[in-house]
PDB file of all heavy atoms in Angstrom:
ATOM      1  N   THR A   1      38.202  22.468-122.010  1.00 94.00           N
ATOM      2  CA  THR A   1      38.955  22.512-120.752  1.00 94.00           C
ATOM      3  C   THR A   1      39.966  21.369-120.666  1.00 94.00           C
ATOM      4  O   THR A   1      40.729  21.306-119.717  1.00 94.00           O
ATOM      5  CB  THR A   1      38.007  22.410-119.539  1.00 94.00           C
ATOM      6  OG1 THR A   1      37.280  21.187-119.631  1.00 94.00           O
ATOM      7  CG2 THR A   1      37.046  23.585-119.488  1.00 94.00           C
ATOM      8  N   GLN A   2      39.934  20.484-121.658  1.00 91.00           N
ATOM      9  CA  GLN A   2      40.816  19.327-121.612  1.00 91.00           C
ATOM     10  C   GLN A   2      41.067  18.776-123.004  1.00 91.00           C
ATOM     11  O   GLN A   2      40.294  19.004-123.931  1.00 91.00           O
ATOM     12  CB  GLN A   2      40.212  18.240-120.735  1.00 91.00           C
ATOM     13  CG  GLN A   2      38.832  17.803-121.179  1.00 91.00           C
ATOM     14  CD  GLN A   2      38.118  16.975-120.117  1.00 91.00           C
ATOM     15  OE1 GLN A   2      38.377  17.134-118.940  1.00 91.00           O
ATOM     16  NE2 GLN A   2      37.245  16.100-120.561  1.00 91.00           N
ATOM     17  N   PHE A   3      42.177  18.058-123.130  1.00 89.00           N
ATOM     18  CA  PHE A   3      42.509  17.379-124.380  1.00 89.00           C
ATOM     19  C   PHE A   3      41.749  16.071-124.499  1.00 89.00           C
ATOM     20  O   PHE A   3      41.332  15.668-125.567  1.00 89.00           O
ATOM     21  CB  PHE A   3      44.016  17.098-124.456  1.00 89.00           C
ATOM     22  CG  PHE A   3      44.859  18.336-124.445  1.00 89.00           C
ATOM     23  CD1 PHE A   3      45.675  18.625-123.378  1.00 89.00           C
ATOM     24  CD2 PHE A   3      44.828  19.231-125.503  1.00 89.00           C
ATOM     25  CE1 PHE A   3      46.466  19.750-123.364  1.00 89.00           C
ATOM     26  CE2 PHE A   3      45.605  20.366-125.501  1.00 89.00           C
ATOM     27  CZ  PHE A   3      46.426  20.632-124.426  1.00 89.00           C
ATOM     28  N   SER A   4      41.595  15.395-123.355  1.00 82.00           N
ATOM     29  CA  SER A   4      40.866  14.132-123.304  1.00 82.00           C
ATOM     30  C   SER A   4      40.294  13.988-121.900  1.00 82.00           C
ATOM     31  O   SER A   4      40.544  14.822-121.037  1.00 82.00           O
ATOM     32  CB  SER A   4      41.791  12.957-123.640  1.00 82.00           C
ATOM     33  OG  SER A   4      42.806  12.841-122.660  1.00 82.00           O
ATOM     34  N   ALA A   5      39.555  12.931-121.664  1.00 79.00           N
ATOM     35  CA  ALA A   5      38.897  12.741-120.367  1.00 79.00           C
ATOM     36  C   ALA A   5      39.885  12.747-119.200  1.00 79.00           C
ATOM     37  O   ALA A   5      39.541  13.138-118.091  1.00 79.00           O
ATOM     38  CB  ALA A   5      38.099  11.447-120.370  1.00 79.00           C
ATOM     39  N   SER A   6      41.116  12.346-119.447  1.00 80.00           N
ATOM     40  CA  SER A   6      42.089  12.271-118.354  1.00 80.00           C
ATOM     41  C   SER A   6      43.210  13.296-118.468  1.00 80.00           C
ATOM     42  O   SER A   6      44.193  13.227-117.749  1.00 80.00           O
ATOM     43  CB  SER A   6      42.697  10.866-118.306  1.00 80.00           C
ATOM     44  OG  SER A   6      43.365  10.599-119.525  1.00 80.00           O
ATOM     45  N   ASP A   7      43.076  14.249-119.377  1.00 88.00           N
ATOM     46  CA  ASP A   7      44.169  15.201-119.618  1.00 88.00           C
ATOM     47  C   ASP A   7      43.624  16.622-119.719  1.00 88.00           C
ATOM     48  O   ASP A   7      43.371  17.122-120.801  1.00 88.00           O
ATOM     49  CB  ASP A   7      44.910  14.815-120.895  1.00 88.00           C
ATOM     50  CG  ASP A   7      46.195  15.604-121.088  1.00 88.00           C
ATOM     51  OD1 ASP A   7      46.571  16.388-120.194  1.00 88.00           O
ATOM     52  OD2 ASP A   7      46.821  15.427-122.151  1.00 88.00           O
ATOM     53  N   GLU A   8      43.445  17.287-118.569  1.00 89.00           N
ATOM     54  CA  GLU A   8      42.928  18.653-118.537  1.00 89.00           C
ATOM     55  C   GLU A   8      44.020  19.653-118.905  1.00 89.00           C
ATOM     56  O   GLU A   8      45.203  19.387-118.739  1.00 89.00           O
ATOM     57  CB  GLU A   8      42.380  18.979-117.146  1.00 89.00           C
ATOM     58  CG  GLU A   8      41.129  18.212-116.805  1.00 89.00           C
ATOM     59  CD  GLU A   8      40.489  18.676-115.511  1.00 89.00           C
ATOM     60  OE1 GLU A   8      41.017  19.600-114.864  1.00 89.00           O
ATOM     61  OE2 GLU A   8      39.446  18.117-115.166  1.00 89.00           O
ATOM     62  N   PHE A   9      43.584  20.827-119.397  1.00 91.00           N
ATOM     63  CA  PHE A   9      44.522  21.904-119.674  1.00 91.00           C
ATOM     64  C   PHE A   9      45.185  22.339-118.376  1.00 91.00           C
ATOM     65  O   PHE A   9      44.554  22.364-117.322  1.00 91.00           O
ATOM     66  CB  PHE A   9      43.824  23.121-120.268  1.00 91.00           C
ATOM     67  CG  PHE A   9      43.199  22.917-121.627  1.00 91.00           C
ATOM     68  CD1 PHE A   9      42.233  23.782-122.072  1.00 91.00           C
ATOM     69  CD2 PHE A   9      43.581  21.888-122.462  1.00 91.00           C
ATOM     70  CE1 PHE A   9      41.645  23.640-123.318  1.00 91.00           C
ATOM     71  CE2 PHE A   9      43.006  21.728-123.715  1.00 91.00           C
ATOM     72  CZ  PHE A   9      42.035  22.605-124.141  1.00 91.00           C
ATOM     73  N   GLU A  10      46.454  22.716-118.457  1.00 89.00           N
ATOM     74  CA  GLU A  10      47.189  23.231-117.311  1.00 89.00           C
ATOM     75  C   GLU A  10      47.915  24.504-117.715  1.00 89.00           C
ATOM     76  O   GLU A  10      48.093  24.772-118.903  1.00 89.00           O
ATOM     77  CB  GLU A  10      48.216  22.191-116.838  1.00 89.00           C
ATOM     78  CG  GLU A  10      47.600  20.891-116.365  1.00 89.00           C
ATOM     79  CD  GLU A  10      48.655  19.847-116.011  1.00 89.00           C
ATOM     80  OE1 GLU A  10      49.864  20.162-116.075  1.00 89.00           O
ATOM     81  OE2 GLU A  10      48.262  18.727-115.671  1.00 89.00           O
ATOM     82  N   ASN A  11      48.374  25.258-116.719  1.00 87.00           N
ATOM     83  CA  ASN A  11      49.169  26.449-117.008  1.00 87.00           C
ATOM     84  C   ASN A  11      50.388  26.060-117.838  1.00 87.00           C
ATOM     85  O   ASN A  11      50.970  24.995-117.636  1.00 87.00           O
ATOM     86  CB  ASN A  11      49.634  27.131-115.716  1.00 87.00           C
ATOM     87  CG  ASN A  11      48.498  27.861-115.031  1.00 87.00           C
ATOM     88  OD1 ASN A  11      47.501  28.219-115.643  1.00 87.00           O
ATOM     89  ND2 ASN A  11      48.640  28.072-113.740  1.00 87.00           N
ATOM     90  N   SER A  12      50.727  26.905-118.771  1.00 87.00           N
ATOM     91  CA  SER A  12      51.874  26.739-119.671  1.00 87.00           C
ATOM     92  C   SER A  12      51.629  25.741-120.798  1.00 87.00           C
ATOM     93  O   SER A  12      52.524  25.524-121.608  1.00 87.00           O
ATOM     94  CB  SER A  12      53.143  26.345-118.911  1.00 87.00           C
ATOM     95  OG  SER A  12      53.446  27.328-117.956  1.00 87.00           O
ATOM     96  N   ASP A  13      50.459  25.105-120.869  1.00 91.00           N
ATOM     97  CA  ASP A  13      50.150  24.252-122.021  1.00 91.00           C
ATOM     98  C   ASP A  13      50.083  25.116-123.270  1.00 91.00           C
ATOM     99  O   ASP A  13      49.577  26.233-123.247  1.00 91.00           O
ATOM    100  CB  ASP A  13      48.801  23.540-121.844  1.00 91.00           C
ATOM    101  CG  ASP A  13      48.898  22.247-121.061  1.00 91.00           C
ATOM    102  OD1 ASP A  13      50.018  21.737-120.892  1.00 91.00           O
ATOM    103  OD2 ASP A  13      47.837  21.757-120.620  1.00 91.00           O
ATOM    104  N   ARG A  14      50.607  24.586-124.358  1.00 93.00           N
ATOM    105  CA  ARG A  14      50.462  25.239-125.665  1.00 93.00           C
ATOM    106  C   ARG A  14      49.420  24.434-126.432  1.00 93.00           C
ATOM    107  O   ARG A  14      49.637  23.271-126.741  1.00 93.00           O
ATOM    108  CB  ARG A  14      51.803  25.294-126.390  1.00 93.00           C
ATOM    109  CG  ARG A  14      52.790  26.243-125.692  1.00 93.00           C
ATOM    110  CD  ARG A  14      54.156  26.286-126.344  1.00 93.00           C
ATOM    111  NE  ARG A  14      54.132  26.471-127.781  1.00 93.00           N
ATOM    112  CZ  ARG A  14      54.000  27.657-128.411  1.00 93.00           C
ATOM    113  NH1 ARG A  14      53.862  28.753-127.696  1.00 93.00           N
ATOM    114  NH2 ARG A  14      54.008  27.722-129.734  1.00 93.00           N
ATOM    115  N   VAL A  15      48.294  25.081-126.699  1.00 95.00           N
ATOM    116  CA  VAL A  15      47.145  24.404-127.298  1.00 95.00           C
ATOM    117  C   VAL A  15      46.956  24.901-128.733  1.00 95.00           C
ATOM    118  O   VAL A  15      46.778  26.096-128.968  1.00 95.00           O
ATOM    119  CB  VAL A  15      45.864  24.677-126.479  1.00 95.00           C
ATOM    120  CG1 VAL A  15      44.678  23.951-127.087  1.00 95.00           C
ATOM    121  CG2 VAL A  15      46.058  24.284-125.025  1.00 95.00           C
ATOM    122  N   LYS A  16      46.992  23.979-129.676  1.00 95.00           N
ATOM    123  CA  LYS A  16      46.738  24.334-131.073  1.00 95.00           C
ATOM    124  C   LYS A  16      45.248  24.181-131.345  1.00 95.00           C
ATOM    125  O   LYS A  16      44.662  23.133-131.046  1.00 95.00           O
ATOM    126  CB  LYS A  16      47.539  23.463-132.024  1.00 95.00           C
ATOM    127  CG  LYS A  16      47.332  23.854-133.476  1.00 95.00           C
ATOM    128  CD  LYS A  16      48.300  23.198-134.393  1.00 95.00           C
ATOM    129  CE  LYS A  16      48.088  23.758-135.794  1.00 95.00           C
ATOM    130  NZ  LYS A  16      49.158  23.396-136.686  1.00 95.00           N
ATOM    131  N   VAL A  17      44.644  25.221-131.911  1.00 97.00           N
ATOM    132  CA  VAL A  17      43.222  25.207-132.251  1.00 97.00           C
ATOM    133  C   VAL A  17      43.112  25.292-133.775  1.00 97.00           C
ATOM    134  O   VAL A  17      43.654  26.209-134.392  1.00 97.00           O
ATOM    135  CB  VAL A  17      42.474  26.394-131.602  1.00 97.00           C
ATOM    136  CG1 VAL A  17      40.996  26.359-131.977  1.00 97.00           C
ATOM    137  CG2 VAL A  17      42.660  26.399-130.092  1.00 97.00           C
ATOM    138  N   VAL A  18      42.410  24.326-134.366  1.00 97.00           N
ATOM    139  CA  VAL A  18      42.173  24.326-135.814  1.00 97.00           C
ATOM    140  C   VAL A  18      40.668  24.216-136.039  1.00 97.00           C
ATOM    141  O   VAL A  18      40.027  23.305-135.522  1.00 97.00           O
ATOM    142  CB  VAL A  18      42.894  23.153-136.517  1.00 97.00           C
ATOM    143  CG1 VAL A  18      42.587  23.150-138.015  1.00 97.00           C
ATOM    144  CG2 VAL A  18      44.393  23.228-136.275  1.00 97.00           C
ATOM    145  N   VAL A  19      40.116  25.173-136.809  1.00 97.00           N
ATOM    146  CA  VAL A  19      38.687  25.164-137.124  1.00 97.00           C
ATOM    147  C   VAL A  19      38.532  24.976-138.626  1.00 97.00           C
ATOM    148  O   VAL A  19      39.109  25.727-139.421  1.00 97.00           O
ATOM    149  CB  VAL A  19      37.998  26.474-136.678  1.00 97.00           C
ATOM    150  CG1 VAL A  19      36.508  26.418-136.996  1.00 97.00           C
ATOM    151  CG2 VAL A  19      38.238  26.736-135.194  1.00 97.00           C
ATOM    152  N   THR A  20      37.743  23.965-138.995  1.00 97.00           N
ATOM    153  CA  THR A  20      37.485  23.666-140.403  1.00 97.00           C
ATOM    154  C   THR A  20      36.004  23.884-140.688  1.00 97.00           C
ATOM    155  O   THR A  20      35.153  23.368-139.964  1.00 97.00           O
ATOM    156  CB  THR A  20      37.867  22.207-140.726  1.00 97.00           C
ATOM    157  OG1 THR A  20      39.233  21.996-140.346  1.00 97.00           O
ATOM    158  CG2 THR A  20      37.695  21.909-142.202  1.00 97.00           C
ATOM    159  N   ALA A  21      35.703  24.672-141.720  1.00 96.00           N
ATOM    160  CA  ALA A  21      34.319  24.891-142.156  1.00 96.00           C
ATOM    161  C   ALA A  21      34.006  23.900-143.270  1.00 96.00           C
ATOM    162  O   ALA A  21      34.818  23.704-144.177  1.00 96.00           O
ATOM    163  CB  ALA A  21      34.139  26.322-142.646  1.00 96.00           C
ATOM    164  N   GLU A  22      32.808  23.293-143.198  1.00 96.00           N
ATOM    165  CA  GLU A  22      32.411  22.293-144.182  1.00 96.00           C
ATOM    166  C   GLU A  22      31.014  22.602-144.717  1.00 96.00           C
ATOM    167  O   GLU A  22      30.114  22.907-143.943  1.00 96.00           O
ATOM    168  CB  GLU A  22      32.423  20.906-143.543  1.00 96.00           C
ATOM    169  CG  GLU A  22      33.774  20.514-142.995  1.00 96.00           C
ATOM    170  CD  GLU A  22      33.741  19.267-142.128  1.00 96.00           C
ATOM    171  OE1 GLU A  22      32.639  18.786-141.805  1.00 96.00           O
ATOM    172  OE2 GLU A  22      34.823  18.796-141.768  1.00 96.00           O
ATOM    173  N   ALA A  23      30.865  22.526-146.041  1.00 94.00           N
ATOM    174  CA  ALA A  23      29.564  22.723-146.688  1.00 94.00           C
ATOM    175  C   ALA A  23      29.598  22.095-148.077  1.00 94.00           C
ATOM    176  O   ALA A  23      30.587  22.235-148.801  1.00 94.00           O
ATOM    177  CB  ALA A  23      29.226  24.207-146.798  1.00 94.00           C
ATOM    178  N   ASP A  24      28.531  21.408-148.444  1.00 91.00           N
ATOM    179  CA  ASP A  24      28.388  20.818-149.781  1.00 91.00           C
ATOM    180  C   ASP A  24      29.592  19.980-150.205  1.00 91.00           C
ATOM    181  O   ASP A  24      30.046  20.062-151.342  1.00 91.00           O
ATOM    182  CB  ASP A  24      28.127  21.906-150.822  1.00 91.00           C
ATOM    183  CG  ASP A  24      26.766  22.544-150.676  1.00 91.00           C
ATOM    184  OD1 ASP A  24      25.872  21.905-150.098  1.00 91.00           O
ATOM    185  OD2 ASP A  24      26.598  23.696-151.131  1.00 91.00           O
ATOM    186  N   GLY A  25      30.141  19.200-149.282  1.00 91.00           N
ATOM    187  CA  GLY A  25      31.256  18.335-149.622  1.00 91.00           C
ATOM    188  C   GLY A  25      32.599  19.032-149.737  1.00 91.00           C
ATOM    189  O   GLY A  25      33.589  18.418-150.115  1.00 91.00           O
ATOM    190  N   ARG A  26      32.641  20.314-149.444  1.00 93.00           N
ATOM    191  CA  ARG A  26      33.889  21.076-149.484  1.00 93.00           C
ATOM    192  C   ARG A  26      34.290  21.429-148.058  1.00 93.00           C
ATOM    193  O   ARG A  26      33.443  21.588-147.194  1.00 93.00           O
ATOM    194  CB  ARG A  26      33.724  22.372-150.282  1.00 93.00           C
ATOM    195  CG  ARG A  26      33.345  22.151-151.735  1.00 93.00           C
ATOM    196  CD  ARG A  26      33.023  23.450-152.458  1.00 93.00           C
ATOM    197  NE  ARG A  26      31.783  24.011-151.909  1.00 93.00           N
ATOM    198  CZ  ARG A  26      31.650  25.275-151.489  1.00 93.00           C
ATOM    199  NH1 ARG A  26      32.657  26.104-151.535  1.00 93.00           N
ATOM    200  NH2 ARG A  26      30.499  25.699-151.028  1.00 93.00           N
ATOM    201  N   SER A  27      35.587  21.558-147.822  1.00 94.00           N
ATOM    202  CA  SER A  27      36.041  21.981-146.497  1.00 94.00           C
ATOM    203  C   SER A  27      37.212  22.943-146.634  1.00 94.00           C
ATOM    204  O   SER A  27      38.024  22.821-147.559  1.00 94.00           O
ATOM    205  CB  SER A  27      36.428  20.777-145.636  1.00 94.00           C
ATOM    206  OG  SER A  27      37.527  20.115-146.183  1.00 94.00           O
ATOM    207  N   THR A  28      37.271  23.894-145.701  1.00 95.00           N
ATOM    208  CA  THR A  28      38.314  24.905-145.687  1.00 95.00           C
ATOM    209  C   THR A  28      38.737  25.166-144.250  1.00 95.00           C
ATOM    210  O   THR A  28      37.879  25.366-143.382  1.00 95.00           O
ATOM    211  CB  THR A  28      37.791  26.231-146.300  1.00 95.00           C
ATOM    212  OG1 THR A  28      37.292  25.983-147.612  1.00 95.00           O
ATOM    213  CG2 THR A  28      38.887  27.281-146.360  1.00 95.00           C
ATOM    214  N   VAL A  29      40.032  25.172-143.990  1.00 97.00           N
ATOM    215  CA  VAL A  29      40.520  25.560-142.663  1.00 97.00           C
ATOM    216  C   VAL A  29      40.377  27.077-142.571  1.00 97.00           C
ATOM    217  O   VAL A  29      40.940  27.823-143.381  1.00 97.00           O
ATOM    218  CB  VAL A  29      41.987  25.140-142.447  1.00 97.00           C
ATOM    219  CG1 VAL A  29      42.523  25.712-141.138  1.00 97.00           C
ATOM    220  CG2 VAL A  29      42.114  23.627-142.459  1.00 97.00           C
ATOM    221  N   ILE A  30      39.576  27.545-141.594  1.00 96.00           N
ATOM    222  CA  ILE A  30      39.328  28.979-141.462  1.00 96.00           C
ATOM    223  C   ILE A  30      40.072  29.587-140.279  1.00 96.00           C
ATOM    224  O   ILE A  30      40.132  30.812-140.139  1.00 96.00           O
ATOM    225  CB  ILE A  30      37.820  29.293-141.355  1.00 96.00           C
ATOM    226  CG1 ILE A  30      37.205  28.621-140.125  1.00 96.00           C
ATOM    227  CG2 ILE A  30      37.098  28.907-142.638  1.00 96.00           C
ATOM    228  CD1 ILE A  30      35.802  29.098-139.820  1.00 96.00           C
ATOM    229  N   TYR A  31      40.647  28.738-139.414  1.00 97.00           N
ATOM    230  CA  TYR A  31      41.378  29.246-138.260  1.00 97.00           C
ATOM    231  C   TYR A  31      42.392  28.197-137.836  1.00 97.00           C
ATOM    232  O   TYR A  31      42.061  27.015-137.728  1.00 97.00           O
ATOM    233  CB  TYR A  31      40.409  29.527-137.107  1.00 97.00           C
ATOM    234  CG  TYR A  31      41.056  30.116-135.866  1.00 97.00           C
ATOM    235  CD1 TYR A  31      41.143  31.490-135.693  1.00 97.00           C
ATOM    236  CD2 TYR A  31      41.579  29.298-134.881  1.00 97.00           C
ATOM    237  CE1 TYR A  31      41.735  32.035-134.562  1.00 97.00           C
ATOM    238  CE2 TYR A  31      42.172  29.833-133.749  1.00 97.00           C
ATOM    239  CZ  TYR A  31      42.244  31.191-133.591  1.00 97.00           C
ATOM    240  OH  TYR A  31      42.829  31.740-132.472  1.00 97.00           O
ATOM    241  N   SER A  32      43.616  28.622-137.595  1.00 97.00           N
ATOM    242  CA  SER A  32      44.651  27.733-137.088  1.00 97.00           C
ATOM    243  C   SER A  32      45.648  28.579-136.321  1.00 97.00           C
ATOM    244  O   SER A  32      46.350  29.396-136.896  1.00 97.00           O
ATOM    245  CB  SER A  32      45.345  26.998-138.237  1.00 97.00           C
ATOM    246  OG  SER A  32      46.353  26.150-137.731  1.00 97.00           O
ATOM    247  N   GLU A  33      45.666  28.379-135.002  1.00 96.00           N
ATOM    248  CA  GLU A  33      46.567  29.167-134.176  1.00 96.00           C
ATOM    249  C   GLU A  33      46.889  28.407-132.894  1.00 96.00           C
ATOM    250  O   GLU A  33      46.096  27.607-132.410  1.00 96.00           O
ATOM    251  CB  GLU A  33      45.911  30.506-133.822  1.00 96.00           C
ATOM    252  CG  GLU A  33      46.860  31.494-133.202  1.00 96.00           C
ATOM    253  CD  GLU A  33      46.294  32.910-133.161  1.00 96.00           C
ATOM    254  OE1 GLU A  33      45.552  33.295-134.081  1.00 96.00           O
ATOM    255  OE2 GLU A  33      46.583  33.601-132.178  1.00 96.00           O
ATOM    256  N   THR A  34      48.069  28.659-132.348  1.00 96.00           N
ATOM    257  CA  THR A  34      48.482  28.055-131.088  1.00 96.00           C
ATOM    258  C   THR A  34      48.377  29.079-129.980  1.00 96.00           C
ATOM    259  O   THR A  34      48.814  30.220-130.124  1.00 96.00           O
ATOM    260  CB  THR A  34      49.939  27.533-131.190  1.00 96.00           C
ATOM    261  OG1 THR A  34      49.980  26.561-132.241  1.00 96.00           O
ATOM    262  CG2 THR A  34      50.376  26.902-129.884  1.00 96.00           C
ATOM    263  N   HIS A  35      47.768  28.671-128.866  1.00 94.00           N
ATOM    264  CA  HIS A  35      47.569  29.538-127.702  1.00 94.00           C
ATOM    265  C   HIS A  35      48.323  28.972-126.514  1.00 94.00           C
ATOM    266  O   HIS A  35      48.312  27.759-126.296  1.00 94.00           O
ATOM    267  CB  HIS A  35      46.078  29.648-127.337  1.00 94.00           C
ATOM    268  CG  HIS A  35      45.254  30.222-128.427  1.00 94.00           C
ATOM    269  ND1 HIS A  35      45.073  31.581-128.573  1.00 94.00           N
ATOM    270  CD2 HIS A  35      44.559  29.634-129.441  1.00 94.00           C
ATOM    271  CE1 HIS A  35      44.307  31.805-129.605  1.00 94.00           C
ATOM    272  NE2 HIS A  35      43.979  30.642-130.162  1.00 94.00           N
ATOM    273  N   GLU A  36      48.964  29.850-125.752  1.00 92.00           N
ATOM    274  CA  GLU A  36      49.641  29.401-124.536  1.00 92.00           C
ATOM    275  C   GLU A  36      48.774  29.767-123.350  1.00 92.00           C
ATOM    276  O   GLU A  36      48.360  30.917-123.178  1.00 92.00           O
ATOM    277  CB  GLU A  36      51.007  30.048-124.395  1.00 92.00           C
ATOM    278  CG  GLU A  36      51.788  29.467-123.237  1.00 92.00           C
ATOM    279  CD  GLU A  36      53.258  29.815-123.282  1.00 92.00           C
ATOM    280  OE1 GLU A  36      53.762  30.171-124.354  1.00 92.00           O
ATOM    281  OE2 GLU A  36      53.896  29.715-122.233  1.00 92.00           O
ATOM    282  N   LEU A  37      48.479  28.777-122.518  1.00 89.00           N
ATOM    283  CA  LEU A  37      47.656  29.017-121.338  1.00 89.00           C
ATOM    284  C   LEU A  37      48.507  29.330-120.131  1.00 89.00           C
ATOM    285  O   LEU A  37      49.669  29.121-120.084  1.00 89.00           O
ATOM    286  CB  LEU A  37      46.769  27.795-121.049  1.00 89.00           C
ATOM    287  CG  LEU A  37      45.787  27.440-122.163  1.00 89.00           C
ATOM    288  CD1 LEU A  37      45.009  26.193-121.803  1.00 89.00           C
ATOM    289  CD2 LEU A  37      44.828  28.583-122.414  1.00 89.00           C
TER     290      LEU A  37
END
C-alpha cells in the first residue's frame, strides 16, 4: 500500500513491481511490470 512508511500509493502512481525467485544460490527475475494506479 506504500513505497515507504511516509509515502503511500496514490491515484496515478506508476508502480514498478519486480519479483525475483531464488534457490540454491541462483536467482532469476520472474516478473517485471509497471502498473498505473
